[in-house]
Every structure is written in structure tokens, then in C-alpha cells.
């Protein structure tokens, strides 16, 4: 348990994760829990402050979500955002109504009264841009509250009960479209709740090492390496805690990028001297994937085979009591349907909800509380090479989900070569670190083309590159046409089987599934 914890109660907003990002950016630990289990989470965490998120429901509807009463009775500060403001007002004796002017997008907020929430950020009489997204609105405040800011369509755009340290805003301070929003959240956690900026990777490292030792004791741990940053950081952290009680198993499923398997083996055997079992299971995976075109079936097949291989290797090692994996906080968030939405299927290749009953092992997940950028920071804290820590995310199913349709050795060979050229050109242009993730996709399309004096009938290759902070939202990277021309020319000239290259310029807004 973290002594200074902020509990974020999720009412189903697409941007609840951004609230957590802003809190953690201010150096304070927080956890997101759905409103259905918020009371239990409150009791377990004993938070020092609570933030109520936005959400799609209407407070005026019968049976709509509510915050646990304990959050208001405990004497700790509470910040309500959008729906959070509305349920706070309703639960404390105010009134919320539907049918008023809706307000979506940018709005200008006018500061009416000084407040601890605005301290050092906004002054009385000033106007500032905020981001609104609401249909309902508060029409009567609970006793003790005062208006501290208004907008054209929200007379109670920001309100406060300073005595009880209750604050509520109709706008979304967590999104970048509210330019000063992060500062307002920092004011809430530091100046109002009095929390320290002690959420650091050095502190997390010490805390997690102690936790791993206590959890594992003298038992053995088997860690499944995927080749990506997450499992590598988890393995190094666990090895620091328990030494040779850890054995890493790297399953080469034949779906890795070019030369990636060799890089993983070299890092763990050569650089860290961590016990490593390298299992070449490529024939098994490719045989099982033969004839499968549905992406969800691919994911589940790969996940099942991973578990099968781990079980066999655990028995060979002598029986491990624990299985370690690099589950991250976004994996947890995207794998649990908080409000009955589709997110429950997004991370179906992860064992986020636990292992199958037949596996007699318990999970060790030391990164389960971290976002991706925090994992990278922890990796640097542990001394992993920056070139490895800064690598672009690579999903567990590997190239299997970057080849829509059936997987074949020929398609894998084409995609590996093209993907390597693409990444090579990105590095040559000095753009690798400016991009969150870049990859090639072998599209299920073949097209007629002319190369030299002959006609071809070959594959179309899609290129993807996005910018992001934590992978929860993303936007395409704006390559110039000169760069795209160089990449396409190299790929078509050097990779047989491709005669056309396209660039994907769609974005990943909050609440959508992965691009793969």
C-alpha cells in the first residue's frame, strides 16, 4: 500500500486514464477503480484524496452510478469532473437537470472567485480555454458550495466547498485541450490534499523488490519473455529481488521481427547473465495458425500455446511456483469492462485476469501498476540499455496480427524484410525516438503493377507510425513526402513480393481498440 494514494473512481469516461496520467505526472501515486467496486477499493486503499471521473450516464436516470458515501464522509478532499461534479452535487443535496444547452468542445471559462484549485494558475476575472463535454448540468448547488468559475452554457462550471475541501468542475482538466488542466490537478493533489511528490521510479524499485521477496519467498519463478520492453524490465527487476530463483523462458514463436530473437538472447545471457531458456517453438505456432484468418482467433491461439509451452518448461526446470509476466496498467484497464463496454476483449492475448485453473502457478506482475512511459523510466533506473528501453512497443501476438488473413512463412519473410527497411529509414532520419510506434502491415490485398518492362501481381504494404505518451490515445506521425518516397522505393526495390506501399493516417482516439 502506498501511504499517499489518490483513488480515481471511474464512471466510464473515455479519458479516465488521462486523469491518472496527470496525477502521476505530479509525482503522486493513484489507482483507477470502477464505480461498481469503488467502496471496496476505498476501504482497502485508504486514499488521501478521491477524484470522480466523467462518464456517459445521466445522473437524472434511475439507477445511474453513484460515488460511495464514504468518500464524502471521510474528511478527505474530493474532486468531481463532469459526471463526477453532477453526482457529487446530487448526492450532497444539489440538483442536476437534463434538457439544457449542451456544451461539447472548446469553451471559454471565466474565473469568478479565488480558490485553492486555481492558486497560482488562474486569477479572478481572467478567461481561459477549457474542454467541455456534457448534456446535463447542475442547476442548484449543495449547501456550503460557491461558484468559482462559469462558462456560457455552464453557470456552475467550477464550484467549491473550501471548508470540506470539495471541488467540482464541469470541464475536463485532464485533456490537453484544457491547457492549464494539469496544473489544476497538481493543485488539488499538492496544495489541497497536501500530498508529496514521492512517486518516483527509484522509490517504486525499492518498494517492488521488497514486495517480490515477500511474495515469492524461497520459491522459484519462471518469467515469460516476449522480446519486448515490458517483460524484459519485469525480468530484470525480479532477478534483482530474488537472483537465480528466477529462470526466464523466451518462446520464439516464429512471429518476431528481424533479428529480434537474437537480440533478446544476447541481452539476457550476455549482458545480465540471467538464467534463460530459449525455446524455438516456431514450427508449433505456425502449424497451429495454419488456415486461421480471424484476428481474435489468432490472438487466443497464440496465448494458449504460450501457456502450453510455459507449462512444459516449468516442469523441466523443476517446478516453479510462480509465473512472471509484464502486465501493464493499460493492459488491466483495457481488459476489464468497467461499464459493460467492449474493452473486455481488447487485450485478449494477455492473462490479465489470471491463469487457467490447470496451471498450478501464481502470477507475479511487478509492472501491473505502471503506464508504458513509467516502465521505460523503471528500465533506465535498473540500468537496461537505452536502445532497448526506448524500443517501440511490440504486441505479444507479434507479426501474426500484422498479416491480416492466414499466416504463411512466405508472408512472414516479406513482412520482416519490409518492416526492417522501414525502421532503418526512420532511424536514419533521426525520427525513431520522436515516434511512439512504427510498423509495417502486409495487407490482404494484391494489385497489378508495372515494374520496369513487366507486369506484377504482388502484395500491398501498409505503413503505420504514431505519436503517443502511454498508448491510450495516439495520432499519426506527419512524415514528409520525401521520406515516404525513399521508404517506398527501398521496399519495392529490395523486397520481392511487394509492388505498392501506402501510409495510414488515421488516429487512435480514447476508447478505441488497438490499431492491430
Amino acid at each position: 500500500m502506498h501511504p499517499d494514494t489518490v483513488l480515481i473512481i471511474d464512471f466510464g469516461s473515455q479519458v479516465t486514464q488521462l486523469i491518472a496520467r496527470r496525477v502521476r505526472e505530479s509525482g503522486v501515486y493513484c489507482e483507477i477503480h470502477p464505480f461498481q467496486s469503488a467502496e471496496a477499493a476505498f476501504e482497502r486503499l485508504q486514499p488521501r484524496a478521491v477524484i470522480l471521473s466523467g462518464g456517459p450516464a445521466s445522473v437524472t436516470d434511475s439507477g445511474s452510478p453513484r460515488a460511495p458515501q464514504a468518500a464524502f464522509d471521510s474528511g478527505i478532499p474530493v474532486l468531481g469532473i463532469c459526471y463526477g461534479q453532477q453526482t457529487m452535487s446530487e448526492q450532497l443535496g444539489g440538483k442536476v437537470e437534463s434538457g439544457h444547452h449542451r456544451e461539447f468542445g472548446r469553451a471559454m471559462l471565466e474565473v469568478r472567485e479565488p480558490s485553492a484549485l486555481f492558486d497560482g494558475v488562474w486569477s479572478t476575472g481572467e478567461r481561459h480555454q477549457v474542454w467541455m463535454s456534457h448534456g446535463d448540468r447542475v442547476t442548484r448547488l449543495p449547501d456550503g458550495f460557491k461558484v468559482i468559475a462559469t462558462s456560457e452554457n455552464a453557470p456552475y462550471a467550477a464550484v467549491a466547498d473550501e471548508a470540506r475541501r470539495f471541488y467540482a468542475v464541469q470541464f475536463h482538466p485532464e485533456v490537453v485541450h484544457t491547457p492549464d488542466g494539469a496544473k489544476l490537478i497538481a493543485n488539488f493533489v499538492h496544495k489541497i490534499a497536501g500530498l508529496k511528490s514521492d512517486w518516483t521510479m527509484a522509490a517504486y524499485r525499492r518498494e517492488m523488490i521488497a514486495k517480490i521477496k515477500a511474495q515469492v519467498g524461497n520459491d522459484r519463478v519462471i518469467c515469460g519473455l516476449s522480446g519486448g520492453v515490458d517483460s524484459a524490465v519485469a525480468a530484470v527487476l525480479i532477478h534483482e529481488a530474488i537472483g537465480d530463483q528466477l529462470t526466464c523462458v523466451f518462446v520464439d514463436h516464429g512471429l518476431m521481427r528481424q533479428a529480434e530473437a537474437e537480440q533478446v538472447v544476447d541481452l539476457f545471457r550476455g549482458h545480465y547473465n540471467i538464467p534463460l531458456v530459449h525455446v524455438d517453438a516456431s514450427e508449433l505456432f505456425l502449424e497451429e495458425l495454419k488456415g486461421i484468418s480471424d484476428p481474435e482467433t489468432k490472438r487466443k491461439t497464440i496465448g494458449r500455446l504460450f501457456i502450453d509451452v510455459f507449462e512444459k518448461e516449468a516442469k523441466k526446470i523443476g517446478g516453479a511456483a510462480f509465473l512472471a509476466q509484464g502486465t501493464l496498467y493499460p493492459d488491466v484497464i483495457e481488459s476489464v469492462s468497467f461499464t459493460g463496454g467492449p474493452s473486455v476483449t481488447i487485450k485478449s492475448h494477455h492473462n490479465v485476469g489470471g491463469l487457467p485453473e490447470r496451471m498450478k502457478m501464481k502470477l507475479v506482475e511487478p509492472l501491473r501498476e505502471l503506464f508504458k512511459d513509467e516502465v521505460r523510466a523503471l528500465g533506465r533506473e535498473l540500468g537496461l540499455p537505452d536502445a532497448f528501453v526506448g524500443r517501440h512497443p511490440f504486441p505479444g501476438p507479434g507479426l501474426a496480427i500484422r498479416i491480416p488473413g492466414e499466416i504463411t512463412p512466405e508472408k512472414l519473410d516479406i513482412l520482416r524484410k519490409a518492416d526492417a527497411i522501414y525502421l532503418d529509414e526512420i532511424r536514419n532520419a533521426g525520427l525513431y525516438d520522436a515516434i511512439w510506434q512504427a510498423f509495417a502491415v502486409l495487407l490482404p490485398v494484391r494489385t497489378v503493377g508495372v515494374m520496369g518492362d513487366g507486369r506484377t501481381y504482388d502484395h500491398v504494404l501498409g505503413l503505420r507510425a504514431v505519436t503517443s505518451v502511454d498508448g491510450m490515445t495516439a495520432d499519426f506521425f506527419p512524415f514528409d513526402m520525401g521520406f515516404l518516397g525513399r521508404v517506398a522505393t527501398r521496399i519495392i526495390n529490395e523486397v520481392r513480393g511487394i509492388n505498392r506501399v501506402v501510409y495510414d493516417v488515421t488516429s487512435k482516439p480514447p476508447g478505441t481498440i488497438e490499431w492491430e
Side-chain angles (χ1 to χ4, degrees):
M1 290 182 61
H2 301 271
D4 285 357
T5 296
V6 174
L7 170 62
I8 300 170
I9 298 177
D10 182 20
F11 291 104
S13 169
Q14 295 185 80
V15 291
T16 299
Q17 295 83 7
L18 295 182
I19 302 174
R21 293 297 309 125
R22 301 296 172 253
V23 173
R24 291 190 180 188
E25 285 167 2
S26 71
V28 175
Y29 179 73
C30 64
E31 288 190 17
I32 299 172
H33 288 272
F35 67 88
Q36 298 97 323
S37 59
E39 189 167 358
F42 186 90
E43 180 66 26
R44 178 177 62 84
L45 293 173
Q46 295 294 298
R48 296 278 303 278
V50 169
I51 298 178
L52 310 177
S53 86
S58 173
V59 170
T60 62
D61 291 343
S62 176
S64 55
R66 293 291 184 269
Q69 190 60 35
F72 303 119
D73 295 342
S74 61
I76 63 174
V78 181
L79 171 64
I81 296 174
C82 196
Y83 183 91
Q85 183 202 50
Q86 294 165 12
T87 193
M88 175 191 285
S89 298
E90 185 82 10
Q91 289 182 243
L92 296 178
K95 187 174 180 58
V96 177
E97 294 181 6
S98 300
H100 292 276
H101 292 293
R102 299 186 303 170
E103 200 169 21
F104 294 97
R106 290 178 177 84
M108 295 306 296
L109 179 128
E110 183 172 350
V111 180
R112 298 289 187 179
E113 296 280 348
S115 168
L117 191 65
F118 300 155
D119 189 29
V121 183
W122 291 343
S123 299
T124 304
E126 292 181 346
R127 288 169 57 83
H128 295 275
Q129 178 186 301
V130 296
W131 188 262
M132 292 283 190
S133 180
H134 67 97
D136 300 350
R137 73 182 188 189
V138 177
T139 56
R140 188 182 71 238
L141 291 177
D143 292 342
F145 279 79
K146 65 178 181 180
V147 177
I148 56 176
T150 62
S151 72
E152 183 178 356
N153 290 317
Y156 301 132
V159 300
D161 181 337
E162 306 272 4
R164 289 187 287 179
R165 296 186 296 174
F166 290 166
Y167 299 83
V169 295
Q170 185 60 71
F171 60 91
H172 287 272
E174 68 272 30
V175 302
V176 295
H177 306 87
T178 300
D180 296 318
K183 297 177 183 178
L184 302 183
I185 291 175
N187 272 354
F188 176 72
V189 298
H190 292 312
K191 295 185 178 181
I192 294 170
L195 305 184
K196 299 176 182 177
S197 295
D198 57 4
W199 171 246
T200 65
M201 286 303 105
Y204 187 85
R205 175 185 183 180
R206 293 191 300 270
E207 176 186 326
M208 194 51 60
I209 286 173
K211 184 176 180 179
I212 293 167
K213 288 179 178 178
Q215 180 185 8
V216 172
N218 295 321
D219 288 322
R220 296 186 63 79
V221 179
I222 183 172
C223 178
L225 290 179
S226 68
V229 175
D230 307 335
S231 60
V233 171
V236 173
L237 180 63
I238 294 168
H239 186 257
E240 185 167 311
I242 62 173
D244 288 348
Q245 290 172 244
L246 169 71
T247 299
C248 291
V249 175
F250 172 49
V251 178
D252 184 354
H253 49 31
L255 305 168
M256 306 294 289
R257 290 173 293 198
Q258 187 167 286
E260 194 157 46
E262 293 84 350
Q263 294 169 7
V264 173
V265 172
D266 180 66
L267 177 69
F268 280 83
R269 284 184 178 162
H271 191 83
Y272 282 99
N273 198 29
I274 295 176
L276 174 66
V277 176
H278 179 197
V279 183
D280 184 355
S282 56
E283 290 186 9
L284 170 65
F285 277 78
L286 291 179
E287 181 63 29
E288 288 281 336
L289 289 168
K290 188 179 296 184
I292 298 176
S293 297
D294 178 67
E296 185 65 11
T297 305
K298 287 181 191 177
R299 287 173 177 266
K300 291 182 177 179
T301 299
I302 292 168
R304 172 178 57 80
L305 291 175
F306 259 108
I307 291 175
D308 290 344
V309 173
F310 284 141
E311 282 187 296
K312 292 177 182 178
E313 294 305 321
K315 292 176 182 176
K316 293 178 184 177
I317 291 168
F322 292 89
L323 172 63
Q325 59 185 25
T327 305
L328 305 190
Y329 202 33
D331 297 332
V332 177
I333 293 168
E334 293 187 346
S335 300
V336 179
S337 181
F338 286 171
T339 57
S343 62
V344 70
T345 61
I346 291 177
K347 295 283 187 177
S348 55
H349 61 282
H350 283 271
N351 305 309
V352 178
L355 297 172
E357 290 185 9
R358 72 173 190 274
M359 292 192 73
K360 305 302 181 183
M361 288 191 284
K362 293 166 283 188
L363 282 172
V364 179
E365 298 174 306
L367 312 182
R368 194 179 175 93
E369 300 173 349
L370 303 182
F371 286 92
K372 188 76 175 190
D373 56 313
E374 293 171 330
V375 173
R376 289 197 170 111
L378 178 58
R380 295 185 179 95
E381 173 69 25
L382 290 165
L384 269 82
D386 198 64
F388 189 86
V389 173
R391 289 169 64 190
H392 293 174
F394 189 60
L399 299 180
I401 54 171
R402 293 177 180 170
I403 301 177
E406 183 180 5
I407 308 298
T408 68
E410 177 196 18
K411 290 180 180 178
L412 286 168
D413 184 56
I414 292 172
L415 183 56
R416 280 196 187 94
K417 291 176 181 177
D419 189 71
I421 292 170
Y422 182 35
L423 294 179
D424 183 53
E425 286 296 324
I426 287 174
R427 291 189 177 94
N428 291 342
L431 298 174
Y432 190 84
D433 292 337
I435 295 170
W436 164 263
Q437 185 183 47
F439 56 85
V441 177
L442 193 64
L443 300 175
V445 177
R446 300 187 77 175
T447 182
V448 174
V450 177
M451 298 180 70
D453 296 323
R455 289 163 64 89
T456 63
Y457 182 61
D458 283 325
H459 294 280
V460 177
L461 185 81
L463 302 180
R464 185 84 164 108
V466 295
T467 57
S468 183
V469 173
D470 49 33
M472 302 303 295
T473 61
D475 200 0
F476 69 90
F477 187 82
F479 287 124
D480 63 60
M481 292 304 296
F483 173 86
L484 292 174
R486 289 194 301 274
V487 172
T489 299
R490 272 198 66 186
I491 290 173
I492 291 171
N493 285 339
E494 298 177 31
V495 183
R496 288 186 178 274
I498 297 173
N499 68 1
R500 195 175 303 274
V501 177
V502 298
Y503 183 57
D504 179 6
V505 294
T506 55
S507 300
K508 179 193 176 189
T512 61
I513 62 172
E514 294 176 297
W515 316 289
E516 299 89 7

